[in-house]
Amino acid sequence: MVSFMNTEGGILLIGVQDDGEIIGIDHDKFPNEEKYLLYFNNLLDRYIGLEFSKLIKCEIVPVEGKKVFFVECEKSNEPAFLLESKEKEDFYIRVGPATRRLTSKGMWNYLKNRKN
C-alpha cells in the first residue's frame, strides 16, 4: 500500500491471484467480516501508521460468489514508509506492475523530482 501512496495511488485486491483467478478471502479463516477489517486496521496502524488511514478505503465485496477484499489507496503528499521495526523503515514505489524498494539515495532522488 505504501508503494501506491508514494506514486499515483492504486487498487489492491486480496483474494485475486495475479492471473485474475478469484480465490476469495474465506481461506483466511476469520470468523466474520468485522474481524477481517479489524485485523487489517491493526496492520495499517502497526506497519504504516493510522495517519495514512484517510488515504485508504477498503471493503469486502462479492465477486463470482466469493468475497474479495478491495483496497483503494490515494496518492499521499507525504512519504509513506513500511515500518518493519522501530529501527527499520523502508520506502517503496510502484514501477509499472511491480513494487520496488528504494535505497536512501534513490528515495531522496525520487522525492526531490516527484510532482505532488
Side-chain angles (χ1 to χ4, degrees):
M1 291 184 306
V2 294
S3 63
F4 290 124
M5 290 187 284
N6 287 327
T7 49
E8 297 300 317
I11 294 173
L12 174 65
L13 298 173
I14 300 173
V16 179
Q17 292 186 335
D18 288 342
D19 64 4
E21 180 186 354
I22 309 298
I23 59 172
I25 59 171
D26 287 337
H27 67 277
D28 291 333
K29 304 287 187 212
F30 283 89
N32 56 51
E33 291 182 9
E34 184 176 340
K35 296 287 184 185
Y36 196 99
L37 294 168
L38 180 60
Y39 179 75
F40 176 79
N41 190 294
N42 289 336
L43 290 175
L44 175 63
D45 181 28
R46 181 175 178 184
Y47 293 104
I48 299 173
L50 287 179
E51 64 271 21
F52 289 98
S53 63
K54 66 183 178 277
L55 301 175
I56 299 172
K57 296 175 185 77
C58 59
E59 62 181 318
I60 297 172
V61 296
V63 179
E64 297 179 9
K66 298 180 180 170
K67 295 177 184 177
V68 171
F69 191 53
F70 177 89
V71 182
E72 183 175 7
C73 303
E74 295 179 26
K75 180 180 178 181
S76 176
N77 292 327
E78 300 293 323
F81 294 89
L82 181 62
L83 310 171
E84 296 196 24
S85 69
K86 290 183 180 183
E87 297 83 29
K88 188 170 185 334
E89 299 175 335
D90 288 324
F91 186 82
Y92 291 88
I93 61 169
R94 290 292 287 183
V95 180
T99 296
R100 302 286 185 227
R101 184 175 63 82
L102 297 182
T103 63
S104 297
K105 181 179 178 182
M107 179 192 70
W108 170 252
N109 288 327
Y110 176 80
L111 291 173
K112 182 173 61 169
N113 296 311
R114 131 176 139 155
K115 297 175 185 173
N116 284 331

